[in-house]
Amino acid sequence: MAETLLQTLKRAPGAIAWYVQDLMGDNSYQRYLEHHRSNHGEEHQPLSERQFWRQRMDDQDRNPGARCC
């Protein structure tokens, strides 16, 4: 029981970091690369990280959705 609790406590910081990064969108470019690799293969080059974020910001500006400002 104590060993299980200790293992859970050891994993908690990593799980919290993953959740916050996912919530804030920090993993978006990595997810894009994984999606691109699995769906488009090597024949099409993925966007650079700079191009990805520029396109993402432009998309949000065109479609603000539920943002307050």
Side-chain angles (χ1 to χ4, degrees):
M1 171 95 174
E3 189 172 314
T4 303
L5 178 61
L6 186 59
Q7 290 174 345
T8 300
L9 290 174
K10 284 181 180 178
R11 288 190 311 230
I16 292 169
W18 172 85
Y19 179 76
V20 170
Q21 288 173 345
D22 200 55
L23 185 68
M24 300 302 289
D26 292 351
N27 299 335
S28 296
Y29 185 66
Q30 290 304 316
R31 283 200 311 256
Y32 161 74
L33 289 177
E34 291 168 8
H35 169 83
H36 190 277
R37 192 176 311 115
S38 65
N39 292 306
H40 303 289
E42 299 293 328
E43 54 195 62
H44 299 286
Q45 288 292 322
L47 297 175
S48 68
E49 188 168 3
R50 183 181 182 100
Q51 291 170 322
F52 171 80
W53 287 112
R54 181 74 262 159
Q55 183 175 329
R56 185 175 168 129
M57 294 298 124
D58 289 346
D59 289 345
Q60 287 179 347
D61 287 343
R62 281 191 299 274
N63 300 310
R67 293 189 331 192
C68 64
C69 44

